[in-house]
Amino acid sequence: MNKLEKLKISQLKKFLASQVVFRDQTLYYSHNVSLETLTKTLNLDHQKTELIYQKISGSKERIKNTILNENIMQNLLLELGFDFEKKEFKHFYEQVQFFGFAQKETKFINRSLIVTVMGHVDHGKTTLLDVIRNTDVAHREHGKITQKIGGYEVNFKKNKITFIDTPGHEIFQDMRSQGAQITDLIVLVVAGNEGIKPQTIEAIQHAKRTKVPIIVFINKMDLATANPQNIMQQLSHYDLISTAIGGNTVYKMGSCLQKKGIQELLNAIVLKGNEINLKTDINLLPKALVIDSFLDKQGVKTSVIIQNGNLKVKEAVIVDDIVGKIKSIDDDLKTCFQIVTPGKCVVLLGLNKLVPVGSIIFGFPNDKLVANLAKNFNYEKSTTTNKSKQVLLNSVKNFLQATKQKQQINLIVKVDSKSSEQVLKKRLSGFLVSETDSELIELNFIQISFGEINLNDLQSAIITKSQILTFNVKLNKVIGKKIEALGIIYHNFYLLYKFFEYLEDLQTSVKNQQLNEKIVGQAEVLKVFHHSKLGSIAGCIIRKGQIKLDNNKIQVMRQQTIIGKNLKIKSLKHERDNIQGAVMNQEFGIILFNFDDFQVGDELCQFQVLSQDEK
Ligand code: GDP
């Protein structure tokens, strides 16, 4: 073990021993601390420190390093007039973030600039990413086999740029909600012939919220109908005013199809990148952000962007509830690394479980310490197979309980990767309704998991009379024949919106049979509060009609897009009081069942469901 590794271990041990911080007149701690740590953290003057030592009998030298009993510590804090709170963490990275992990910063390098391409579907994001990937000829031998790992690095005029190549908006949002900052820069692609669309606006809002700069690329300029002036005009309403007329947004235009304007765009990216501080200390504890997680022949693969420090093969890692040891690291060109530097996008082998996108991985040179850490934090090793069997059993049980319900379509969904699974689950939460409402349950998801369709899936599709829907998943020939023979309805989708269009069609086809809806109230979300126990609370104002605490369902709209429907109200309050309803212009707070994703500006509509006779 070298000197630096020893230093990291001693820093980590120190960090684990004294997790305490004093902020806003409150002492936060997660473990009991010594008297000396307590007085130092509270920054007590000599007189108060002496007073405390007097209260605890024994010689000062002997007691100063003794770990305090929690009751004694709390009594002391009360006497001193300080608030206190014991913090419990689910994830190691949250703890590191909260208490701060003081590390000596020593060796700085310039990391790659991290860029995410966003924009509306079909405006040319994938084509642009492909063109850029192929532009990087010096770095990429022609014909070399590549693998899709969620991102790739290019060298452009000696500048390293990592492009993130993941499903886009939802993932970005997931990461943001977990406090992870993923990108330095957003390239917003807008098709010159179409103009701004809902996902264009969504991308702008993400960028603004995360304070990430935007470069606009107006694509499809080869089309006669392309109208860049119109797009600039539309985007100026979102404060994206071109530098050409004194604004601060760089606009580039071109055609991905004809490979025009790409060099100019890359130049603009590099120039903007020069304004961003890319210096990073490679001697910090290695930290990486998970951007995808999937299973292939070799086992569980985890795609990450290295954020801090150098990550090495054979290093022990902790991520969420698992520990592992890195067996191999490679990139999209299948280049193997023994050690990777910050800013790189690589795929790791060595974790035994898929991890959610947005998780943070920490690497340590000492696996014994990591194993101990895992024990401390109640992390547990588990295997995917056991877990998925359990999930399946539970799903079948749920199904059997749910058979009394009237109108429903059962679905088994399989997806290609963990990131797709997360995106789908997130979007689907809007389709799921509360268990108690038997009249309205229409789509019943028996199982949502990743991987190809297997015999188990067919078996549960037969038991539960389910359709099987897949997203980006190959169909094995034998299984395909069995699906046909068994008469199971099966569809594969490559585009997320097509998948949701299909679900919408399924829903409406059932609904149209006997139900129709009438809007009774509309409200706007003015503020969002997050409560650790209650979930997200939306502070709203009624804009039309009224919203009542009854069985009528709520729909949440964002940019004219439904992001949650058939939602049931969990709680309705005006200030601190529970209320039965809110009327025109009244402000109120609302919590919904199965929906946690409010944003300021969302619109809530309440529907009254009418039967055919009432129409
Ligand atoms: P994404 O959904 O934003 O990733 O869009 P894609 O990259 O898949 O592109 C959508 C469609 O637009 C495809 O049929 C592309 O061939 C086409 N396309 C992409 N760039 C251009 C362009 O510069 N000009 C024209 N005419 N078509 C383009």
Side-chain angles (χ1 to χ4, degrees):
M1 191 176 296
N2 66 29
K3 221 170 133 189
L4 184 70
E5 287 175 344
K6 277 188 191 151
L7 178 74
K8 273 185 198 161
I9 291 172
S10 80
Q11 281 172 340
L12 185 68
K13 281 184 179 162
K14 218 163 133 192
F15 167 73
L16 294 174
S18 62
Q19 286 159 44
V20 58
V21 69
F22 185 54
R23 242 180 243 148
D24 309 325
Q25 294 301 300
T26 305
L27 184 96
Y28 298 94
Y29 64 98
S30 75
H31 290 302
N32 297 1
V33 294
S34 71
L35 204 49
E36 190 181 28
T37 307
L38 184 73
T39 52
K40 279 193 178 153
T41 312
L42 294 171
N43 205 9
L44 294 183
D45 60 24
H46 180 71
Q47 205 181 351
K48 279 194 178 143
T49 309
E50 284 305 309
L51 211 76
I52 287 190
Y53 278 105
Q54 277 165 24
K55 280 190 187 293
I56 298 177
S57 54
S59 84
K60 188 169 171 180
E61 275 318 301
R62 198 176 59 78
I63 58 172
K64 82 174 187 188
N65 289 320
T66 315
I67 303 293
L68 285 173
N69 160 304
E70 196 167 353
N71 275 342
I72 296 179
M73 183 168 98
Q74 292 181 348
N75 282 333
L76 285 175
L77 288 165
L78 283 175
E79 276 187 39
L80 290 164
F82 295 125
D83 276 341
F84 51 82
E85 189 180 328
K86 185 166 187 169
K87 299 289 290 182
E88 280 176 14
F89 299 92
K90 219 166 119 200
H91 305 302
F92 179 64
Y93 76 84
E94 287 172 354
Q95 190 151 9
V96 170
Q97 237 168 16
F98 189 84
F99 289 114
F101 178 42
Q103 299 174 78
K104 254 198 192 137
E105 304 195 348
T106 46
K107 194 173 172 191
F108 288 91
I109 59 158
N110 258 349
R111 64 166 172 83
S112 296
L113 177 74
I114 300 169
V115 178
T116 308
V117 174
M118 298 180 90
H120 197 70
V121 63
D122 272 352
H123 280 202
K125 299 179 293 292
T126 316
T127 318
L128 176 65
L129 282 160
D130 284 348
V131 175
I132 292 175
R133 193 194 282 257
N134 296 331
T135 310
D136 186 32
V137 264
H139 182 53
R140 286 152 196 277
E141 282 170 48
H142 187 66
K144 186 161 179 175
I145 298 165
T146 58
Q147 56 178 347
K148 197 167 161 13
I149 63 165
Y152 60 84
E153 188 183 64
V154 294
N155 275 302
F156 180 72
K157 298 185 181 167
K158 297 195 179 146
N159 295 283
K160 287 182 176 165
I161 312 169
T162 294
F163 283 92
I164 313 232
D165 188 8
T166 50
H169 296 219
E170 288 86 356
I171 291 293
F172 197 81
Q173 196 167 5
D174 252 18
M175 292 190 183
R176 192 177 50 80
S177 64
Q178 298 189 37
Q181 177 78 6
I182 173 174
T183 194
D184 298 310
L185 186 65
I186 288 171
V187 171
L188 180 65
V189 178
V190 189
N193 58 328
E194 288 213 15
I196 67 168
K197 295 273 171 187
Q199 282 173 295
T200 320
I201 300 166
E202 217 174 275
I204 298 170
Q205 285 168 342
H206 286 328
K208 288 208 167 143
R209 253 181 255 122
T210 49
K211 300 196 171 57
V212 173
I214 287 184
I215 292 180
V216 179
F217 183 70
I218 304 180
N219 189 28
K220 306 200 183 184
M221 288 300 292
D222 54 294
L223 299 176
T225 47
N227 185 348
Q229 291 311 324
N230 180 35
I231 289 166
M232 287 184 179
Q233 165 72 22
Q234 286 179 334
L235 287 176
S236 68
H237 297 305
Y238 293 88
D239 261 356
L240 298 179
I241 297 163
S242 166
T243 44
I245 53 165
N248 57 6
T249 305
V250 175
Y251 279 77
K252 292 286 157 193
M253 50 190 88
S255 160
C256 293
L257 213 60
Q258 298 180 338
K259 301 189 176 54
K260 282 191 181 152
I262 310 298
Q263 296 288 321
E264 290 79 356
L265 174 65
L266 288 169
N267 273 327
I269 291 174
V270 169
L271 273 179
K272 196 81 198 164
N274 289 341
E275 295 169 17
I276 297 166
N277 179 14
L278 298 175
K279 287 242 174 307
T280 176
D281 183 356
I282 49 166
N283 283 347
L284 289 180
L285 194 69
K287 182 177 148 215
L289 175 73
V290 176
I291 57 168
D292 207 351
S293 178
F294 52 95
L295 197 67
D296 78 358
K297 277 180 231 144
Q298 289 175 287
V300 171
K301 294 266 182 92
T302 316
S303 292
V304 297
I305 299 233
I306 313 291
Q307 294 193 310
N308 267 349
N310 285 337
L311 195 66
K312 293 181 197 135
V313 171
K314 289 197 187 142
E315 215 156 35
V317 281
I318 288 191
V319 51
D320 284 356
D321 60 346
I322 47 166
V323 293
K325 193 164 183 169
I326 300 180
K327 287 189 194 141
S328 74
I329 305 177
D330 57 9
D331 66 4
D332 66 308
L333 295 171
K334 299 202 172 174
T335 316
C336 288
F337 298 92
Q338 286 301 310
I339 179 164
V340 267
T341 50
K344 284 234 181 330
C345 179
V346 288
V347 63
L348 313 173
L349 184 69
L351 292 164
N352 61 356
K353 201 173 140 189
L354 292 168
V355 288
V357 171
S359 307
I360 306 274
I361 293 185
F362 284 95
F364 298 96
N366 179 331
D367 42 342
K368 268 198 202 132
L369 190 66
V370 170
N372 272 338
L373 199 62
K375 263 190 243 150
N376 268 350
F377 290 82
N378 270 340
Y379 294 151
E380 52 181 56
K381 285 193 178 189
S382 68
T383 59
T384 5
T385 29
N386 287 342
K387 204 155 185 183
S388 60
K389 265 188 196 149
Q390 201 182 336
V391 170
L392 185 65
L393 276 178
N394 282 342
S395 311
V396 174
K397 252 195 258 161
N398 286 347
F399 164 75
L400 292 173
Q401 277 166 9
T403 40
K404 291 170 217 126
Q405 293 159 354
K406 287 179 190 166
Q407 287 289 339
Q408 72 181 19
I409 298 171
N410 295 325
L411 301 165
I412 289 175
V413 181
K414 304 281 297 206
V415 299
D416 60 336
S417 69
K418 196 72 189 163
S419 53
S420 306
E421 186 187 330
Q422 265 174 267
V423 170
L424 277 189
K425 281 191 174 158
K426 201 162 176 194
R427 287 264 196 112
L428 283 173
S429 59
F431 285 89
L432 300 170
V433 290
S434 135
E435 276 172 32
T436 52
D437 195 349
S438 58
E439 288 294 316
L440 276 177
I441 288 183
E442 288 146 8
L443 301 182
N444 185 30
F445 294 90
I446 301 291
Q447 186 194 347
I448 303 170
S449 61
F450 78 99
E452 291 182 14
I453 303 172
N454 55 37
L455 290 173
N456 267 345
D457 298 326
L458 298 189
Q459 208 178 351
S460 61
I462 294 163
I463 305 173
T464 59
K465 297 191 174 57
S466 292
Q467 299 190 8
I468 299 182
L469 305 182
T470 58
F471 181 66
N472 257 330
V473 173
K474 275 190 234 143
L475 182 66
N476 164 313
K477 268 189 195 154
V478 180
I479 297 282
K481 281 194 179 141
K482 281 199 189 308
I483 286 179
E484 249 184 71
L486 294 166
I488 297 171
I489 301 177
Y490 156 80
H491 295 281
N492 180 43
F493 300 87
Y494 291 101
L495 291 171
L496 207 60
Y497 81 95
K498 288 276 177 205
F499 178 87
F500 281 94
E501 259 176 26
Y502 180 79
L503 294 187
E504 290 265 359
D505 285 351
L506 280 181
Q507 277 195 316
T508 40
S509 65
V510 173
K511 206 175 280 170
N512 287 344
Q513 287 170 14
Q514 53 172 207
L515 300 169
N516 200 6
E517 298 170 337
K518 178 185 149 202
I519 294 181
V520 288
Q522 265 172 345
E524 183 189 337
V525 177
L526 302 177
K527 250 188 181 170
V528 180
F529 309 91
H530 298 283
H531 188 284
S532 56
K533 293 210 175 77
L534 302 174
S536 287
I537 306 164
C540 307
I541 185 165
I542 300 278
R543 296 290 186 210
K544 233 187 229 174
Q546 48 181 304
I547 285 189
K548 282 189 188 165
L549 185 65
D550 54 20
N551 278 332
N552 287 332
K553 292 289 155 359
I554 299 281
Q555 179 171 296
V556 185
M557 307 272 295
R558 188 172 302 156
Q559 316 292 350
Q560 275 94 47
T561 309
I562 300 171
I563 57 158
K565 63 197 292 185
N566 287 337
L567 300 164
K568 207 174 159 193
I569 301 177
K570 194 170 178 183
S571 148
L572 204 60
K573 283 189 185 236
H574 177 63
E575 291 173 350
R576 281 165 185 252
D577 304 326
N578 285 319
I579 50 172
Q580 288 306 308
V583 292
M584 191 67 176
N585 291 330
Q586 188 179 345
E587 292 194 0
F588 63 99
I590 190 167
I591 305 176
L592 300 175
F593 281 104
N594 296 323
F595 186 88
D596 232 9
D597 187 29
F598 294 112
Q599 279 182 19
V600 171
D602 286 352
E603 188 190 319
L604 264 54
C605 298
Q606 188 170 38
F607 289 93
Q608 185 184 3
V609 180
L610 303 170
S611 69
Q612 287 284 7
D613 317 336
E614 286 175 280
K615 273 199 286 175

